[in-house]
């Protein structure tokens, strides 16, 4: 696929956009769950067209062509916006989150992240000290991830219209020759690994909003995953795909995988790593940890013969010490995710229907 092919977008009006069952945007459209999938599938994808956009990967992979039939480097390109509230939370802030979120989308696509852009929408009245703190955090996060922020933009909106600051980041990375990761590539028998405890980010942010206190400090897991992703791919070049389970949590990531690959997924509840504080907070707030956002975790789908070796390699990395094998890909019930519960029952894990934790990223 050349850049020209991948960007062959139909003219507006040439592709009819199906009507949604809603006539206005709801908060749940940003959840990463069912409403988000409907918004993307019924409006954005048919509205813009293009095979690359329609693949719905975490990052688009584009092949550069010299024009004489010789293919050049393959690039990964992604973009994301961050509207988290509050701007500062245990373990991070909106700036750190913005860098890590974009770096991680490139990393799980198998790319080496290189360059970022950042656009700031600032609200009139935002303290400059807060902005300086955010910028310093972003600079440190870029250094940690080994990327450069090379361009950007700034806009200011009226007081009361921007909630402090919103940040949009885009990123470009280089995909090594021969590497191809995709949520369309899972096969029955593949194993599903997760790089650590789930729900840390979402509950850390919610604890600040709700004034929850724990015996130990619960912090966001926000972190750059490119080093861990590289470790996985060096250990197992045959890795089928990776995803970072951000909005919509683990549930959205594995449901998207099942749907795209036309397979079933079975998860083992007792194998899914959770901190005691996260489990307790979810019970207190009536939340399901499978749907809570993460910002420093990934899932990897690998052939069964490589699973033990990959798990060992993940656990040897500082960001993968709590990695676990949590499930497998099956031929039965294609497009559906089943959880084998602690008490021996089975339940269907669907996409999040509404919005559990708004403004988490």
């Amino acid at each position: 696929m050349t850049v020209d092919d991948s960007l062959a977008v139909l003219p507006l009006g040439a592709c009819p956009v199906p009507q949604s069952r809603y006539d206005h945007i709801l908060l749940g459209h940003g959840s990463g769950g069912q409403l988000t999938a409907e918004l993307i599938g019924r409006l954005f994808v048919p509205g813009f067209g293009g095979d690359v956009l329609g693949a719905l990967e975490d990052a688009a992979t584009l092949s550069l062509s010299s024009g004489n039939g010789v293919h050049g480097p393959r690039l990964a390109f992604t973009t994301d916006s961050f509207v988290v509230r509050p701007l500062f939370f245990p373990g991070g802030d909106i700036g750190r989150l913005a860098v890590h979120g974009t770096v991680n989308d490139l990393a799980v696509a198998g790319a080496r992240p290189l360059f970022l852009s950042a656009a700031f929408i600032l609200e009139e009245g935002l303290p400059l000290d807060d902005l300086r703190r955010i910028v310093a955090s972003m600079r440190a996060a870029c250094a940690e991830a080994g990327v450069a922020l090379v361009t950007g933009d700034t806009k200011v909106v009226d007081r009361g219209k921007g909630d402090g600051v919103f940040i949009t980041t885009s990123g470009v990375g280089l995909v090594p020759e021969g590497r191809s990761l995709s949520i369309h590539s899972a096969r029955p028998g593949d194993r599903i690994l997760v790089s650590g405890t789930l729900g840390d980010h979402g509950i850390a942010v919610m604890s600040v909003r709700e004034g929850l206190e724990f015996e130990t400090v619960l912090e966001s897991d926000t972190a750059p995953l490119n080093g861990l992703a590289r470790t996985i791919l060096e250990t197992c070049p045959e890795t089928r795909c990776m995803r970072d389970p951000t909005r919509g949590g683990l549930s959205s990531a594995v449901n998207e995988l099942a749907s795209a690959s036309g397979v079933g997924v079975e998860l083992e509840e007792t194998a899914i790593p959770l901190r005691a504080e996260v489990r307790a907070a979810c019970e207190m707030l009536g939340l399901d940890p499978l749907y809570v956002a993460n910002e420093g975790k990934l899932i990897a789908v690998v052939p069964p013969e490589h699973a033990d070796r990959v798990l060992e390699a993940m656990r040897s990395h500082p960001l993968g010490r709590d990695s676990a094998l949590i499930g497998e890909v099956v031929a039965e019930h294609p497009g559906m995710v089943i959880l084998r519960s602690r008490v021996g029952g089975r339940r269907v894990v669907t996409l999040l229907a509404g919005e559990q934790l708004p403004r988490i990223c």
Side-chain angles (χ1 to χ4, degrees):
M1 178 78 64
T2 66
V3 167
D4 287 343
D5 291 333
S6 68
L7 298 181
V9 177
L10 292 173
L12 290 178
C15 180
V17 179
Q19 291 296 311
S20 170
R21 56 191 172 123
Y22 298 100
D23 59 5
H24 57 278
I25 292 295
L26 305 176
L27 197 58
H29 281 107
S31 68
Q34 183 63 44
L35 290 180
T36 302
E38 288 184 10
L39 187 66
I40 294 171
R42 296 185 180 187
L43 197 154
F44 290 123
V45 171
F48 290 112
D51 292 341
V52 175
L53 179 64
L56 300 180
E57 303 286 359
D58 279 331
T61 300
L62 310 169
S63 296
L64 301 182
S65 175
S66 65
N68 59 3
V70 177
H71 290 284
R74 294 166 64 230
L75 300 179
F77 177 49
T78 190
T79 191
D80 208 346
S81 295
F82 298 85
V83 297
V84 65
R85 180 174 55 84
L87 299 178
F88 305 96
F89 46 84
D93 56 67
I94 191 172
R96 183 173 171 83
L97 198 62
V99 171
H100 291 163
T102 298
V103 165
N104 293 347
D105 280 348
L106 295 171
V108 297
R112 179 166 65 92
L114 296 173
F115 305 110
L116 302 184
S117 71
F120 296 83
I121 298 178
L122 308 175
E123 181 187 8
E124 179 187 16
L126 174 72
L128 278 178
D129 282 348
D130 285 355
L131 185 57
R132 289 192 186 96
R133 181 178 170 188
I134 290 168
V135 169
S137 181
M138 293 180 72
R139 179 169 181 168
C142 285
E144 182 183 14
V147 298
L149 202 159
V150 295
T151 189
D153 185 47
T154 302
K155 296 292 188 296
V156 177
V157 297
D158 297 340
R159 188 184 301 268
K161 302 293 180 64
D163 218 358
V165 56
F166 299 150
I167 302 175
T168 295
T169 46
S170 298
V172 176
L174 190 63
V175 182
E177 186 176 355
R179 180 173 295 170
S180 180
L181 303 180
S182 174
I183 59 169
H184 300 266
S185 299
R187 299 290 180 268
D190 289 346
R191 301 299 192 259
I192 301 173
L193 310 173
V194 66
S195 64
T197 55
L198 297 178
D200 296 357
H201 173 73
I203 296 304
V205 174
M206 183 55 67
S207 69
V208 177
R209 293 187 197 168
E210 301 296 327
L212 301 180
E213 295 184 1
F214 303 100
E215 292 183 0
T216 58
V217 177
L218 180 62
E219 296 186 339
S220 167
D221 61 354
T222 181
L225 294 171
N226 44 329
L228 177 60
R230 183 171 60 249
T231 295
I232 293 171
L233 293 169
E234 288 175 350
T235 304
C236 179
E238 301 85 357
T239 297
R240 309 286 195 201
C241 74
M242 294 185 289
R243 299 286 273 189
D244 55 334
T246 52
R247 291 182 306 162
L250 177 66
S251 169
S252 286
V254 292
N255 269 284
E256 290 165 0
L257 173 75
S259 176
S261 293
V263 296
V265 169
E266 296 197 353
L267 302 176
E268 192 68 49
E269 185 177 22
T270 56
I272 297 173
L274 290 174
R275 296 186 188 276
E277 300 93 329
V278 170
R279 190 186 305 278
C282 285
E283 292 175 355
M284 183 187 312
L285 298 170
L287 304 176
D288 187 334
L290 297 184
Y291 297 94
V292 178
N294 313 272
E295 292 293 344
K297 302 297 190 304
L298 62 77
I299 64 169
V301 181
V302 301
E305 63 271 21
H306 299 296
D308 289 342
R309 190 160 52 93
V310 174
L311 182 60
E312 181 180 358
M314 291 170 69
R315 287 175 172 170
S316 71
H317 192 279
L319 294 179
R321 286 190 293 262
D322 296 319
S323 296
L325 194 162
I326 62 170
E328 62 180 317
V329 177
V330 298
E332 295 78 24
H333 51 79
M336 186 178 296
V337 178
I338 301 294
L339 180 74
R340 295 190 288 265
S341 72
R342 296 176 180 276
V343 296
R346 292 158 63 88
R347 71 175 174 94
V348 177
V349 178
T350 60
L351 285 171
L352 183 64
E355 176 65 273
Q356 271 204 135
L357 300 175
R359 307 284 298 280
I360 287 296
C361 59

